[in-house]
Amino acid sequence: MQQTIQLDDVPLNRFHLKITGLTFSAHLTDGYVLGVIGFALAQIKPQMGLTPFWEGMLGSSALIGLFLGSLLLGWIGDIVGRQKIFCFSFVIITLASALQFFVTGPEQLFLLRVLIGFGLGGDFSVGHTMLAEFSPRKHRGVLLGAFSVLWTVGYVAASFAGHFISDLSPDAWRWLLASSAVPAVIILLLRIGTPESPRWLMRKGQQQQALAIIHRYFGEHVTLQPEPAHSKRHNLGVLFTARYRKRTAFNCLFFVCLVIPYFAIYTFLPAILQAMGLDKNFGTDLLLNGLLIVGAVMGIGLTAICSRRGFLIGSFVFLAACLVAMSLLTGSQSGWMIACFAAFTLMMSAVSNLVGVFPAESFPTEVRSMGVGFATSMSRLGSATGTLLLPLGIVHLGLSGTIAILAAILAIGAIVSLAWAPETKGLTLVDAGEAASPEAPQPSARTATLHH
């Protein structure tokens, strides 16, 4: 007779890999959606006579939608279940992506891209939550962090599509934007039949249904202990109670400080390379895109090897130093500029793995989807603001001044992480949530060892 084990300690199996693939396929779509807009804008701008304001609005539109979707659908996911939002989000993404082909003005395109972002934001909230709640703790950090690889693959695929499609015809931008409907509808079909999170079912008192799912996918010898309830409230206010406000603040601030430079720089990468005096050609883009993929893979290894806290703090310091150096370099020092930008790209892609790890590990099941969603929504609000203001910043402050501001944002991220970042590596989801709580004692080294 097999010994009973907890869901946190089951060996990695095919179902874990399947739910990981279904979760991170959304990030591939997100990377593609955000990557193609920079190339599409090059054609849309003269055709629609876009002002810098509308250029920034269209560049940030999906990020605005991500803010709204993460906030609203993450909250709903804690009430009605993860699986429903997991499928519904891609219905929205598929339809809005296809309708981009028929737009006649910037206002229509803006609204459709907000809808796409809305679906993606909700999906990020419940997707990372579901993956965290199914994953064994031994592999949870790697699985949650691996999303960065697929996001980068989607972004690089958008770069290839942009280079080879945008010059085919004056209306190539329509095909380029609408092409995101293809992966979206495939993902939607593959997600049909995904089971509900057993942890969510347990929290709703549906123990038999939860155990039935666990036994089907992990075996009859696997069980799950219900988590203690700390709150019966189901609104965003619970995230600001004494128990959760510190972890809410940390996850929002570190997330915001990472993604503002990321999205501001890479959404307008062709324009930034030109402003730097670097050749705007496929070779330069290919180098940087290749480094994004290498960095994402490197980040998986660093997430597995390093402490969560040390990896995050060290990366913030390194990234800020790279941008400070870039702000001080002149156009005649293009070699050093490329070297700094390459180092920045590599490390930014690597540490981006942690934005999928910390929020999911910081909140208990009762508010996990809402907590992940709120942190994601705040990050997208920040990145949307940065993306909206970057073209105006370059015009009024110059490239060096704009880069210096982004370096200051990364420095703030380092300070926040030094003050508040918990260490959640190797803990169960229950203990990880306790480690992030200022009211609960930090798990000792001996306790963490006993949980392995």
Side-chain angles (χ1 to χ4, degrees):
M1 183 177 179
Q2 284 185 300
Q3 183 180 2
T4 300
I5 64 172
Q6 290 292 317
L7 183 62
D8 270 311
D9 297 312
V10 298
L12 194 68
N13 66 12
R14 291 177 61 185
F15 178 76
H16 290 126
L17 299 179
K18 178 181 178 181
I19 200 72
T20 300
L22 290 177
T23 299
F24 293 159
S25 52
H27 293 280
L28 185 146
T29 306
D30 180 41
Y32 188 85
V33 165
L34 295 176
V36 295
I37 188 63
F39 293 93
L41 283 174
Q43 283 192 318
I44 296 172
K45 185 176 180 179
Q47 288 186 26
M48 296 186 180
L50 298 182
T51 63
F53 170 79
W54 270 111
E55 188 178 4
M57 288 291 284
L58 291 177
S60 62
S61 53
L63 297 172
I64 295 171
L66 275 157
F67 161 71
L68 297 172
S70 300
L71 198 63
L72 181 60
L73 295 182
W75 167 62
I76 294 175
D78 278 328
I79 299 174
V80 305
R82 326 299 197 204
Q83 192 271 344
K84 295 180 179 65
I85 305 299
F86 201 56
C87 291
F88 173 71
S89 60
F90 264 82
V91 173
I92 298 175
I93 295 165
T94 301
L95 293 175
S97 293
L99 288 173
Q100 289 179 107
F101 185 87
F102 304 101
V103 298
T104 58
E107 299 86 357
Q108 296 172 355
L109 183 57
F110 174 79
L111 289 175
L112 287 174
R113 291 189 64 79
V114 167
L115 278 176
I116 293 171
F118 185 83
L120 287 169
D123 190 84
F124 288 0
S125 303
V126 298
H128 278 250
T129 298
M130 284 186 68
L131 182 56
E133 292 175 354
F134 274 115
S135 298
R137 57 178 154 172
K138 182 178 179 182
H139 304 284
R140 191 174 62 234
V142 170
L143 292 179
L144 286 170
F147 85 93
S148 181
V149 177
L150 276 182
W151 189 96
T152 307
V153 169
Y155 182 85
V156 172
S159 180
F160 277 97
H163 276 289
F164 292 112
I165 294 177
S166 57
D167 292 332
L168 294 180
S169 73
D171 284 334
W173 62 269
R174 297 182 183 275
W175 295 99
L176 192 60
L177 294 179
S179 62
S180 59
V182 176
V185 72
I186 294 173
I187 294 164
L188 173 61
L189 295 174
L190 290 175
R191 285 186 171 189
I192 296 174
T194 304
E196 182 56 85
S197 164
R199 293 180 189 272
W200 182 84
L201 290 170
M202 281 280 192
R203 287 289 302 118
K204 295 297 182 180
Q206 302 176 43
Q207 185 171 355
Q208 289 186 340
Q209 294 94 319
L211 291 176
I213 291 171
I214 292 171
H215 294 162
R216 177 181 177 184
Y217 292 100
F218 305 107
E220 296 290 332
H221 63 295
V222 180
T223 189
L224 176 65
Q225 291 292 100
E227 293 182 31
H230 297 291
S231 173
K232 293 184 179 180
R233 294 168 61 183
H234 288 291
N235 57 62
L236 289 173
V238 72
L239 296 178
F240 300 94
T241 59
R243 181 172 184 82
Y244 298 121
R245 61 191 174 207
K246 181 177 176 180
R247 70 186 85 181
T248 299
F250 162 69
N251 281 287
C252 290
L253 289 172
F254 105 82
F255 208 158
V256 165
C257 290
L258 270 183
V259 300
I260 285 180
Y262 197 125
F263 285 111
I265 289 173
Y266 294 106
T267 298
F268 296 102
L269 182 59
I272 289 174
L273 290 176
Q274 189 175 34
M276 286 180 175
L278 303 178
D279 291 334
K280 183 187 174 185
N281 57 44
F282 182 66
T284 305
D285 280 355
L286 184 62
L287 171 64
L288 293 174
N289 287 329
L291 288 172
L292 283 172
I293 294 178
V294 172
V297 175
M298 183 177 75
I300 295 176
L302 291 173
T303 301
I305 296 170
C306 302
S307 71
R308 306 270 200 267
R309 177 181 166 85
F311 183 21
L312 182 64
I313 295 170
S315 297
F316 267 126
V317 173
F318 181 85
L319 291 169
C322 286
L323 289 191
V324 168
M326 288 168 60
S327 70
L328 298 175
L329 292 170
T330 63
S332 61
Q333 298 170 300
S334 58
W336 285 106
M337 186 75 79
I338 292 174
C340 289
F341 202 5
F344 175 86
T345 298
L346 194 68
M347 186 54 70
M348 176 60 85
S349 185
V351 73
S352 292
N353 284 264
L354 292 182
V355 303
V357 178
F358 266 119
E361 290 184 336
S362 295
F363 297 96
T365 299
E366 61 183 345
V367 296
R368 183 170 293 119
S369 182
M370 184 163 55
V372 173
F374 186 76
T376 303
S377 69
M378 291 299 102
S379 76
R380 272 23 182 192
L381 178 62
S383 55
T385 302
T387 304
L388 174 62
L389 296 178
L390 185 126
L392 298 174
I394 292 176
V395 170
H396 295 289
L397 301 176
L399 184 63
S400 294
T402 304
I403 290 178
I405 291 175
L406 296 179
I409 291 171
L410 290 168
I412 293 171
I415 295 170
V416 168
S417 300
L418 275 167
W420 290 339
E423 183 52 68
T424 58
K425 185 177 181 180
L427 304 180
T428 67
L429 283 182
V430 175
D431 287 339
E434 293 301 316
S437 172
E439 289 74 31
Q442 297 290 315
S444 66
R446 182 174 180 273
T447 303
T449 302
L450 289 173
H451 279 298
H452 275 291

